[in-house]
Amino acid sequence: MLDRVKQLLSELTLEEKAGLLTGASPWRTLNVDRLGLESMVVSDGPHGVRLSTEIDSMITKSHPATCFPVAAALAASWDPALLDEMGKALADEAIALGSDILLGPGMNIKRSPLCGRNFEYFSEDPVLAGEMAAALVTGMQSKGVGTSVKHFAVNNQETRRFSVNAIVDERTLHEIYLEGFRIAITKSKPWTVMCAYNSVNGDFCAENHYLLTEVLRDQWGYEGFVMSDWGAVHDRVEGVKAGLELEMPGPSPHRTQAVIDAVNNGELDMAVVDEAVRRLLNIILKAQETPKGNAQFDVDAHHALARKIAADCAVLLKNADGLLPLSGDEHVAVIGSAATK
């Protein structure tokens, strides 16, 4: 593979390299037919393979897939082996449906009950979150399907998530908000990491050199590539400099042209672009080692597994000494679409 990457780097034009750094569509990377370089397909997740029926369209229906229990439940199992098993099942479905990378797991720390995505994050505890995420990633990638741990970093609220600036001192940042990511990334080596929308200490995550290079690369030795959350990039050239390899979604001709112009006018070093493309090519070629889209998965077996996982994640509360204000006379109201569906 190393020889193939080296060959591609020598033969790709600047325009093609810049194109690779931005998605060719909402769900796939650029293909270069003249060099035999195929595109890579990603699908949303992380608790089921939400693969769009039209990978070149942003809003479409999705292929049927198993709905597995969410991370909020999974963490309550305290069972990494269970998550490894679920990861393998998710990989089987991704292979069958034609997805190279599943966008998950989500592993931000639960810090506010108002965060609308708490259900898809594991825990308030970074060690538990990191160990659970590592197990899920290991299970999936053992079968040749990549993952994208997200959202890096300090994406702990949905309110103004596109613009909020999370101001965090260094000790708190590393001991609470980054520790789960560190555990998952160093233990399971996910193919990709997805950066968050928000700013951290004044710099958007998509252009945050401290997070994407100094911490992720230099301190943790990460070798995969970083992709943006969908629409998280503000300045494409600064993103490349900071360590963001892939901007999603695409196509985005003006972003591609910005990279080309920055190289031509000396603002962006060609060596930086080549390193970004190298990281991308490593994963694109690795994904192609596992053929996708021509298999089947056992729907009934996966539904049974989802039920087993849900049962193992259930926590039974005993109302010892009447601690909870419940008796046989109370009624519980279940409100919303989940009550009827």
Side-chain angles (χ1 to χ4, degrees), residues 87-89 91-92 95 138-145 191 290 292:
K88 288 182 170 68
D92 286 339
I95 290 169
T138 298
M140 286 195 64
Q141 296 189 169
S142 71
K143 306 200 81 169
V145 175
W191 290 7
T290 304
K292 312 291 195 313

Side-chain angles (χ1 to χ4, degrees), residues 32-152:
V32 183
D33 289 337
R34 71 179 187 87
L35 298 178
L37 180 63
E38 299 177 10
S39 61
M40 183 170 60
V41 175
V42 303
S43 59
D44 223 340
H47 309 110
V49 184
R50 189 164 72 86
L51 181 65
S52 173
T53 55
E54 298 177 34
I55 61 172
D56 290 336
S57 178
M58 190 67 193
I59 302 175
T60 64
K61 295 181 179 180
S62 301
H63 293 282
T66 306
C67 182
F68 286 96
V70 298
L74 296 173
S77 74
W78 294 78
D79 188 352
L82 190 69
L83 272 76
D84 181 273
E85 185 178 7
M86 176 175 151
K88 288 182 170 68
L90 284 167
D92 286 339
E93 298 197 14
I95 290 169
L97 295 172
S99 174
D100 295 301
I101 290 178
L102 187 72
L103 303 177
M107 52 178 305
N108 293 100
I109 297 299
K110 300 172 195 269
R111 296 296 280 170
S112 165
L114 302 180
C115 178
R117 296 182 78 167
N118 274 344
F119 74 94
E120 66 175 84
Y121 300 148
F122 289 103
S123 178
E124 302 92 336
D125 181 85
V127 175
L128 179 58
E131 294 291 345
M132 294 293 104
L136 189 63
V137 168
T138 298
M140 286 195 64
Q141 296 189 169
S142 71
K143 306 200 81 169
V145 175
T147 58
S148 186
V149 298
K150 61 185 186 182
H151 308 87
F152 191 69

Side-chain angles (χ1 to χ4, degrees), residues 5-336:
V5 170
K6 185 176 181 180
Q7 177 192 3
L8 286 168
L9 274 175
S10 68
E11 295 180 356
L12 286 164
T13 65
L14 171 58
E15 289 73 20
E16 289 166 340
K17 291 175 181 178
L20 277 166
L21 298 183
T22 298
S25 83
W27 305 109
R28 66 179 176 88
T29 60
L30 182 74
N31 62 295
V32 183
D33 289 337
R34 71 179 187 87
L35 298 178
L37 180 63
E38 299 177 10
S39 61
M40 183 170 60
V41 175
V42 303
S43 59
D44 223 340
H47 309 110
V49 184
R50 189 164 72 86
L51 181 65
S52 173
T53 55
E54 298 177 34
I55 61 172
D56 290 336
S57 178
M58 190 67 193
I59 302 175
T60 64
K61 295 181 179 180
S62 301
H63 293 282
T66 306
C67 182
F68 286 96
V70 298
L74 296 173
S77 74
W78 294 78
D79 188 352
L82 190 69
L83 272 76
D84 181 273
E85 185 178 7
M86 176 175 151
K88 288 182 170 68
L90 284 167
D92 286 339
E93 298 197 14
I95 290 169
L97 295 172
S99 174
D100 295 301
I101 290 178
L102 187 72
L103 303 177
M107 52 178 305
N108 293 100
I109 297 299
K110 300 172 195 269
R111 296 296 280 170
S112 165
L114 302 180
C115 178
R117 296 182 78 167
N118 274 344
F119 74 94
E120 66 175 84
Y121 300 148
F122 289 103
S123 178
E124 302 92 336
D125 181 85
V127 175
L128 179 58
E131 294 291 345
M132 294 293 104
L136 189 63
V137 168
T138 298
M140 286 195 64
Q141 296 189 169
S142 71
K143 306 200 81 169
V145 175
T147 58
S148 186
V149 298
K150 61 185 186 182
H151 308 87
F152 191 69
V154 203
N155 178 190
N156 306 95
Q157 66 182 60
E158 291 301 285
T159 305
R160 295 186 294 277
R161 69 183 303 214
F162 295 100
S163 58
V164 67
N165 178 26
I167 301 174
V168 194
D169 68 85
E170 188 169 4
R171 178 177 177 182
T172 306
L173 181 65
H174 282 268
E175 291 187 1
I176 296 178
Y177 297 101
L178 296 183
E179 179 63 4
F181 284 102
R182 186 194 66 80
I183 292 170
I185 288 167
T186 56
K187 288 192 71 169
S188 64
K189 297 178 173 55
W191 290 7
T192 82
V193 170
M194 182 187 293
C195 76
Y197 287 115
N198 51 280
S199 298
V200 174
N201 294 331
D203 292 320
F204 283 108
C205 290
E207 293 105 39
N208 196 307
H209 187 274
Y210 177 73
L211 288 177
L212 303 186
T213 295
E214 295 175 46
V215 172
L216 191 59
R217 309 290 191 195
D218 299 341
Q219 294 183 26
W220 299 349
Y222 181 61
E223 282 295 328
F225 73 79
V226 178
M227 72 168 70
S228 73
D229 205 339
W230 269 229
V233 175
H234 295 260
D235 186 318
R236 188 66 194 102
V237 174
E238 290 304 312
V240 176
K241 292 178 182 178
L244 179 79
E245 280 78 30
L246 177 62
E247 177 186 8
M248 292 297 283
S252 186
H254 68 287
R255 302 282 204 185
T256 301
Q257 190 61 48
V259 173
I260 296 168
D261 292 344
V263 171
N264 287 333
N265 66 25
E267 180 187 354
L268 181 61
D269 193 331
M270 190 66 196
V272 175
V273 172
D274 281 346
E275 177 61 15
V277 173
R278 181 189 70 81
R279 292 183 184 275
L280 272 169
L281 291 174
N282 281 338
I283 301 302
I284 292 172
L285 296 181
K286 182 183 290 189
Q288 293 174 4
E289 292 175 354
T290 304
K292 312 291 195 313
N294 297 315
Q296 299 292 324
F297 65 93
D298 190 330
V299 174
D300 292 338
H302 282 199
H303 282 163
L305 175 61
R307 288 176 64 88
K308 174 186 178 295
I309 294 170
D312 289 350
C313 294
V315 178
L316 180 64
L317 296 179
K318 182 178 180 180
N319 194 15
D321 300 322
L323 178 65
L324 301 174
L326 300 173
S327 71
D329 299 327
E330 275 84 15
H331 297 276
V332 176
V334 182
I335 298 169

